[in-house]
Amino acid sequence: MSDADRGAALLRRWNECGWYRTVGMRVTRADEAGSEMALEVTPALLQAYGTAHGGAVAGLIDAAMGLAILGRLPGGEGCATVEMKLNFTAPAPPGTLRARGRVLHEGRRTVVAAAEAEDAEGRMVACGQGTFQRFAEPAP
């Protein structure tokens, strides 16, 4: 499978997964250079003050880091979050949030990644860093 085909399959797989569809997350890029994702902040994702719930934003940051890693790993290999730290820097208003993830360090067993999320006006609403465990994906 070519790198382009593998990249297209990766986007398709994750954009069709239940969690991403449930919350309205969409992967637009995942490759060796990093990832880009979007989350539509709808009324269902708002907390009592009218901005995105921190859990929704944290999920976007986590996904952007994970997909940045998956875009680099060889076929048949996956990753799972071991730990992550987030800073919420501004309220996330309704509308589209965009996140970009990148790999900071790739080891044999763990990978460290970072991501930032911004609102439609380009204002950063959160940033994070996490450690992910590499593993061999089970056969289908």
Side-chain angles (χ1 to χ4, degrees):
M1 181 182 291
S2 74
D3 285 346
D5 290 339
R6 192 169 97 62
L10 180 65
L11 293 183
R12 190 172 42 258
R13 177 180 183 191
W14 289 97
N15 283 324
E16 292 173 358
C17 98
W19 175 249
Y20 288 29
R21 292 175 67 195
T22 296
V23 298
M25 234 181 327
R26 181 136 186 90
V27 185
T28 55
R29 182 176 65 84
D31 55 34
E32 184 117 353
S35 70
E36 292 182 11
M37 304 190 64
L39 172 67
E40 194 61 37
V41 179
T42 64
L45 298 180
L46 300 179
Q47 39 82 332
Y49 299 116
T51 57
H53 187 279
V57 178
L60 178 64
I61 294 284
D62 182 41
M65 291 187 293
L67 268 293
I69 295 167
L70 291 173
R72 296 170 66 110
L73 295 181
E77 198 170 329
C79 68
T81 311
V82 174
E83 65 81 30
M84 71 176 185
K85 181 231 188 281
L86 281 101
N87 291 99
F88 297 98
T89 56
T96 304
L97 296 181
R98 300 210 179 277
R100 288 177 191 81
R102 66 191 180 287
V103 171
L104 301 176
H105 172 76
E106 185 176 341
R108 287 183 305 135
R109 294 190 182 125
T110 60
V111 181
V112 177
E116 298 81 33
E118 59 185 36
D119 64 17
E121 296 183 13
R123 179 179 60 151
M124 184 170 57
V125 299
C127 58
Q129 183 172 311
T131 305
F132 292 72
Q133 180 72 47
R134 297 172 70 158
F135 60 84
E137 285 194 57

